[in-house]
Amino acid sequence: MVTCHACQEHIPRLLRGILSPALVAELGSHLGGCEACQMELAEEQALSRRLRDVARYPSPAHLRARIAQQLEGRTWTGIPRLVTWRWLAASAVVLLAVAASALVLTRRDPLRTFIPEATRNHREMVMQHELFGFPDVGPWGSAELPRLLSERLGLPVTSLFLGDSELVLMAARPLLVRDRKGMVLLYADRHGWVSSLLLVSAPDIEVPKGSRLQFGTFRPYHTQTDSLRVLVWKQEEMACFLVAQAGDQQLADLFLKIRRAM
Amino acid sequence: MTTPEPEFERLVLEHLDGLYNLARWLTRNMDEAQDLVQETALKALKARDQFRGGTTLTAWLYRILRNSFIDRYWKRQREPSGQEGDLPGVLGELEQALEETEIEHLRPLVAADINRALKALPEQWRTTVLLAEVEGLTWEEVAEVMGCPLGTVQSRIFRARRVLRQLLKDYAPEGKGEE
């Protein structure tokens, strides 16, 4: 029997998706009949959403160049004393080129921005699903999803994995991720394990070349946060984030099923 | 086995944005933040042989950055013209929750601004929340960065969230923040 005190203490962990399914079920049962704890959960969810608005300070473009230079063993000494205007002009061109490339490199890194968003959305969707369930994937039904994604959200989607006997599409929710339009799809297998697929417009983002896994002919980027595994790949100007709590084989099966349908 | 130097440099540079973000929150100063990140990168490279499994590179780098910041803070304290600055967390009174009267006092200053609310928290709580909620570190990684037990991280997150909610409560416009 979960008390209100215990329930409210668990809510931050619940929001983070790091509780066992058994405890989530217990909390769900308590929350279903306790208005005070429901209010606590709603307030904590609202705070989590507001924490997404916390300012992020992007690193200045020249900082990367400055540090890279130091790491290579060259000490930054500023402008030499015996400087000529020609030398200065040439140096300015080089520095601008370095700064521009550093800026591009900075913007290429999706890890610090989109992956936490993908896992956070995953946790929220899973929690919502476990606590309240989902009626369906929208008034148009799942078959209309690719067209909606393409026409309404401008995402380059012509087809999607819409479920089979093993894996069911449970829900679809449009959302804004860092001011970009996107959609998160929630899938559940017959054992109740839930995974999510976040699709978001990201023309300026490149997936890092390292940390790739080979699944069939595909090589998605792979990372892990808490117990969640995240696969990232690009399709035209759309970035795809598959989030799941799965072992190697489960993850491979899940990815191939979803990726091959797209 | 030690990671080859060029590969290690690349990995450190991959963390630059996150390190700079935390440095800005800690120092509240652009130039000082840049110096702190640079110092962190150089220290990491120099000590890369000490990086072992059992922690992630992310946690290790954040830990170096925060320790460097604390060193700078104490150094400044020892200087004759040193000012208090804003690091109440390092001074040790942090493990107490903010008093109700303090929250009442801070509320009008914070209004509905989550950034101001976060700045009003003691440093150890603020950094814990930033690492866990904004940078996306696991609670285990946060414990590694902060050099404290996992239970302390959990407790700080729980209490910091409580205080943030109280600070923001009366000023949140209807529906604000709801998507």
Side-chain angles (χ1 to χ4, degrees), chain A residues 3-262:
Chain A
T3 63
C4 288
H5 178 73
C7 178
Q8 291 178 15
E9 280 213 324
H10 281 309
I11 283 175
R13 297 179 190 84
L14 182 67
L15 287 170
R16 222 171 152 80
I18 55 175
L19 293 179
S20 67
L23 189 49
V24 170
E26 262 192 84
L27 294 178
S29 163
H30 175 84
L31 280 160
C34 178
E35 279 187 25
C37 288
Q38 282 173 20
M39 193 175 293
E40 177 76 10
L41 176 63
E43 286 187 16
E44 284 288 309
Q45 283 178 307
L47 176 64
S48 291
R49 281 193 287 270
R50 299 199 66 179
L51 281 166
R52 293 180 201 172
D53 296 333
V54 165
R56 280 192 68 85
Y57 299 97
S59 61
H62 63 82
L63 181 62
R64 186 178 296 266
R66 184 172 124 186
I67 291 175
Q69 197 175 28
Q70 283 227 325
L71 291 182
E72 284 166 14
R74 282 171 288 178
T75 308
W76 178 258
T77 55
I79 298 173
R81 284 182 199 164
L82 297 172
V83 62
T84 64
W85 285 111
R86 185 177 291 177
W87 183 91
L88 196 61
S91 302
V93 170
V94 172
L95 281 175
L96 278 174
V98 169
S101 61
L103 188 63
V104 170
L105 279 172
T106 304
R107 287 180 176 169
R108 276 178 185 172
D109 182 8
L111 297 178
R112 310 303 325 163
T113 52
F114 283 86
I115 287 174
E117 290 287 346
T119 54
R120 201 180 335 239
N121 278 309
H122 173 89
R123 290 184 184 115
E124 280 191 11
M125 289 283 279
V126 169
M127 190 173 57
Q128 195 173 344
H129 167 63
E130 284 171 345
L131 294 181
F132 307 118
F134 285 100
D136 54 30
V137 294
W140 298 279
S142 60
E144 285 293 293
L145 275 175
R147 189 177 64 77
L148 289 170
L149 281 164
S150 169
E151 292 179 5
R152 302 280 183 92
L153 300 180
L155 295 171
V157 174
T158 52
S159 63
L160 281 171
F161 179 73
L162 300 174
D164 60 15
S165 58
E166 299 282 317
L167 192 65
V168 180
L169 177 60
M170 300 295 293
R173 188 174 74 180
L175 76 174
L176 283 175
V177 185
R178 304 265 164 189
D179 293 328
R180 297 163 196 238
K181 287 179 182 173
M183 173 83 79
V184 62
L185 308 173
L186 192 76
Y187 296 95
D189 71 11
R190 56 187 172 157
H191 305 296
W193 290 102
V194 178
S195 49
S196 70
L197 176 66
L198 171 67
L199 306 172
V200 63
S201 173
D204 56 333
I205 284 178
E206 284 190 18
V207 181
K209 287 191 167 43
S211 303
R212 302 269 185 152
L213 293 180
Q214 186 83 44
F215 294 140
T217 56
F218 304 105
R219 293 189 73 238
Y221 174 81
H222 171 256
T223 188
Q224 186 155 353
T225 171
D226 289 329
S227 56
L228 294 174
R229 300 180 74 177
V230 185
L231 296 175
V232 187
W233 70 98
K234 284 282 294 275
Q235 288 189 226
E236 297 179 41
E237 296 191 336
M238 177 175 73
C240 311
F241 300 83
L242 179 61
V243 185
Q245 196 169 13
D248 291 344
Q249 191 56 49
Q250 279 175 304
L251 190 68
D253 293 345
L254 177 70
F255 169 79
L256 286 172
K257 196 169 269 194
I258 288 173
R259 181 67 182 87
R260 282 173 176 157
M262 293 177 76

Side-chain angles (χ1 to χ4, degrees), chain B:
Chain B
M1 196 176 74
T2 308
T3 311
E5 195 165 309
E7 172 68 2
F8 193 81
E9 283 175 22
R10 189 186 64 75
L11 291 171
V12 170
L13 289 172
E14 272 186 11
H15 287 80
L16 205 63
D17 281 346
L19 290 170
Y20 180 76
N21 187 47
L22 181 61
R24 272 298 298 270
W25 273 96
L26 287 169
T27 62
R28 304 185 185 187
N29 177 292
M30 197 169 73
D31 293 333
E32 210 177 326
Q34 290 183 36
D35 289 347
L36 189 59
V37 173
Q38 189 169 354
E39 184 183 332
T40 302
L42 290 173
K43 278 184 179 172
L45 188 67
K46 203 173 168 185
R48 75 182 202 286
D49 294 346
Q50 294 166 28
F51 174 65
R52 297 276 183 272
T55 182
T56 64
L57 181 64
T58 309
W60 190 65
L61 290 172
Y62 280 118
R63 182 164 192 173
I64 293 175
L65 184 133
R66 185 168 178 273
N67 287 343
S68 301
F69 172 68
I70 292 170
D71 288 347
R72 282 169 174 239
Y73 177 82
W74 283 115
K75 194 177 169 191
R76 198 170 298 170
Q77 292 300 299
R78 287 195 296 270
E79 288 170 1
S81 59
Q83 295 185 347
E84 272 292 301
D86 171 55
L87 195 59
V90 179
L91 298 178
E93 83 275 27
L94 283 232
E95 293 309 317
Q96 297 174 35
L98 288 177
E99 295 294 334
E100 193 64 33
T101 49
E102 284 179 78
I103 292 170
E104 288 303 325
H105 172 69
L106 284 168
R107 245 186 227 173
L109 304 173
V110 166
D113 188 337
I114 181 71
N115 293 303
R116 285 190 198 170
L118 205 51
K119 280 176 186 168
L121 292 182
E123 186 274 336
Q124 287 185 351
W125 290 13
R126 182 170 64 239
T127 304
T128 300
V129 170
L130 278 169
L131 291 172
E133 307 281 351
V134 180
E135 296 297 335
L137 268 64
T138 65
W139 286 1
E140 287 80 4
E141 286 174 324
V142 177
E144 178 68 30
V145 176
M146 305 299 288
C148 66
L150 181 61
T152 307
V153 169
Q154 292 173 351
S155 157
R156 281 180 189 160
I157 286 175
F158 184 79
R159 290 150 77 182
R161 291 180 68 103
R162 275 281 157 99
V163 171
L164 283 173
R165 275 170 47 192
Q166 285 185 59
L167 285 171
L168 295 165
K169 202 167 191 173
D170 294 344
Y171 286 85
E174 200 67 33
K176 176 81 176 173
E178 304 291 326
E179 285 171 1

